[in-house]
Amino acid sequence: MKKIILIKFLILSILTFSFTREEKIQNSLQKLGINQEIINETVKADYDARDIVAFQTDEVVIGKILQRFSDILKKDERNYVAAENIITIYESKIGKDYKNYLDLFVKYTPYDFEKTFAKMVYERSYGSQKKYDEYYSQLKEKYKNTPILEMIKIYTTKDKIQRQAQIKKVLNLLKDENVKKELGLSDEDIHSMNLTYTLVEARKYYNTGKIEKAVLEYIKNIGNSNVPDNIRKYNERKETLLFLNILMINEEIKNPALKKENLKKLENTFIAKKIKLETAKDEDYLEKYLEGTEFKKNSKNLEEIFENNNMI
């Protein structure tokens, strides 16, 4: 089963950033009557687990974060955030034995549509197609003509092109701050999906020979987006990998003036400044950071690009 929040595969370019993941956890768990000390512990563990699914392969590290959430959940079973994290990590990294945690998530999540959606996703992965269809029918009937159903359609749409079109449809709906909160989308979640969406779009342009458009897509969606640094920092690793993708693509642009103009814009991004700062402290920072990523084999080329353009 994909992460319950998979229905939140969307991208947003213009949005007011005022609903952080910490605020979401604080508000929802407080309403459930959970002790503040446990809430604080949950916020910290949730932050530390942000890259586990996408980037972590060390089962010792994964096991430790799972144990943290398990210990938190033992203190108060109403902590649906801890249950959600366990569901996510169990399926993607460890195994399929998470039904008990799924039941706790369904029981306590404050977002009513997620109760049915979570069960629907479970049936698709490990249950029956018939039950999956039944849950989907319930959602379509209950949330007809609502942003919630439009979000769910992103998950149920199999064709990649159609899914991208569905994401664009959802974008306009999410310009409304109330809709964002209704769907339980924090600023970090939205920016993360923005990064993923932009990477897909950039690679699409690159693979079809539209290199200049690939870089422009990044500058428009990420470079020019008004995202607070704390939101970018939460997604720092994904930000970095996307930035490096675009940096290498930009090197293939034939127009020297355009390439230089793009580099100036890239140099002013949050991630470029971060890399420059860290490299000043440790000249091997970039090579260490890229260890275990798709960029490891290109680390020397990337270092040369940074050095040649005075970015480090």
Side-chain angles (χ1 to χ4, degrees):
M1 185 179 76
K2 303 298 183 184
K3 186 173 183 178
I4 298 302
I5 308 303
L6 266 177
I7 60 171
K8 298 162 186 175
F9 267 11
L10 49 94
I11 161 66
L12 193 58
S13 298
I14 302 174
L15 188 70
T16 301
F17 287 87
S18 60
F19 185 50
T20 67
R21 188 154 179 84
E22 180 176 353
E23 290 169 337
K24 173 187 172 182
I25 294 172
Q26 173 66 43
N27 294 341
S28 59
L29 296 189
Q30 189 175 46
K31 287 179 180 178
L32 287 171
I34 294 177
N35 178 278
Q36 185 60 49
E37 184 177 341
I38 296 176
I39 295 176
N40 294 342
E41 190 177 358
T42 304
V43 169
K44 180 65 168 62
D46 183 82
Y47 184 87
D48 291 343
R50 66 195 184 282
D51 288 332
I52 288 289
V53 172
F55 299 108
Q56 187 56 256
T57 58
D58 188 330
E59 291 201 1
V60 174
V61 175
I62 296 168
K64 286 181 179 179
I65 196 69
L66 269 174
Q67 189 60 52
R68 283 176 67 183
F69 283 118
S70 178
D71 291 342
I72 291 171
L73 198 56
K74 287 175 183 176
K75 296 176 182 179
D76 195 322
E77 72 165 27
R78 297 173 297 173
N79 195 328
Y80 80 97
V81 176
E84 178 190 11
N85 273 283
I86 292 173
I87 291 168
T88 303
I89 300 168
Y90 254 124
E91 196 283 327
S92 63
K93 298 295 185 184
I94 302 296
K96 304 174 182 178
D97 185 23
Y98 57 80
K99 186 63 166 60
N100 291 338
Y101 298 112
L102 174 64
D103 291 342
L104 287 175
F105 173 80
V106 169
K107 184 176 181 179
Y108 293 112
T109 176
Y111 301 99
D112 190 59
F113 72 93
E114 285 192 334
K115 298 177 185 293
T116 304
F117 179 78
K119 291 185 286 187
M120 184 187 85
V121 173
Y122 177 81
E123 291 300 333
R124 176 171 174 170
S125 300
Y126 306 113
S128 70
Q129 183 65 40
K130 182 179 179 180
K131 287 185 177 180
Y132 169 88
D133 292 338
E134 288 175 357
Y135 285 132
Y136 188 32
S137 294
Q138 291 174 22
L139 289 167
K140 286 191 290 186
E141 181 178 351
K142 185 172 183 178
Y143 298 105
K144 183 179 180 181
N145 298 324
T146 67
I148 289 174
L149 184 58
E150 296 304 327
M151 289 286 290
I152 292 171
K153 286 179 181 178
I154 294 174
Y155 175 78
T156 59
T157 301
K158 296 180 180 180
D159 182 81
K160 292 181 180 180
I161 296 176
Q162 292 179 4
R163 188 184 303 123
Q164 289 293 86
Q166 182 63 25
I167 290 172
K168 287 186 177 181
K169 182 177 182 180
V170 171
L171 296 184
N172 288 329
L173 298 174
L174 286 166
K175 291 177 182 178
D176 187 328
E177 186 76 9
N178 292 324
V179 172
K180 182 174 71 170
K181 292 184 178 181
E182 177 188 1
L183 296 174
L185 283 168
S186 71
D187 299 335
E188 292 90 340
D189 295 330
I190 292 170
H191 186 55
S192 175
M193 294 307 105
N194 189 354
L195 293 166
T196 301
Y197 178 87
T198 301
L199 177 60
V200 172
E201 288 294 290
R203 283 182 170 173
K204 177 188 72 177
Y205 285 129
Y206 178 79
N207 291 336
T208 55
K210 300 175 182 178
I211 297 175
E212 296 177 0
K213 278 194 172 184
V215 179
L216 179 62
E217 186 74 16
Y218 173 84
I219 293 172
K220 178 181 67 175
N221 286 346
I222 306 301
N224 292 341
S225 61
N226 185 27
V227 181
D229 285 356
N230 65 308
I231 304 302
R232 292 189 185 277
K233 186 171 178 57
Y234 183 94
N235 291 287
E236 187 175 306
R237 189 158 190 180
K238 188 178 286 187
E239 280 253 11
T240 302
L241 296 181
L242 173 57
F243 174 82
L244 296 178
N245 260 289
I246 298 303
L247 191 63
M248 295 186 72
I249 291 174
N250 191 65
E251 283 296 295
E252 297 188 30
I253 291 179
K254 304 300 182 183
N255 184 330
L258 179 59
K259 182 193 294 188
K260 185 176 181 180
E261 180 183 345
N262 287 342
L263 279 170
K264 286 183 178 180
K265 294 176 181 178
L266 293 174
E267 187 176 1
N268 287 324
T269 61
F270 169 84
I271 284 301
K273 293 176 182 177
K274 170 71 175 179
I275 292 174
K276 188 171 186 177
L277 178 65
E278 295 300 330
T279 304
K281 301 176 185 176
D282 179 1
E283 62 180 14
D284 296 324
Y285 166 77
L286 192 58
E287 184 176 356
K288 293 175 182 176
Y289 194 91
L290 297 177
E291 187 69 38
T293 74
E294 62 182 286
F295 293 99
K296 175 59 181 176
K297 62 179 181 293
N298 295 314
S299 60
K300 293 300 180 184
N301 292 338
L302 284 165
E303 288 175 8
E304 288 179 6
I305 294 172
F306 274 93
E307 290 172 356
N308 293 340
N309 294 285
N310 298 315
M311 296 176 75
I312 57 174

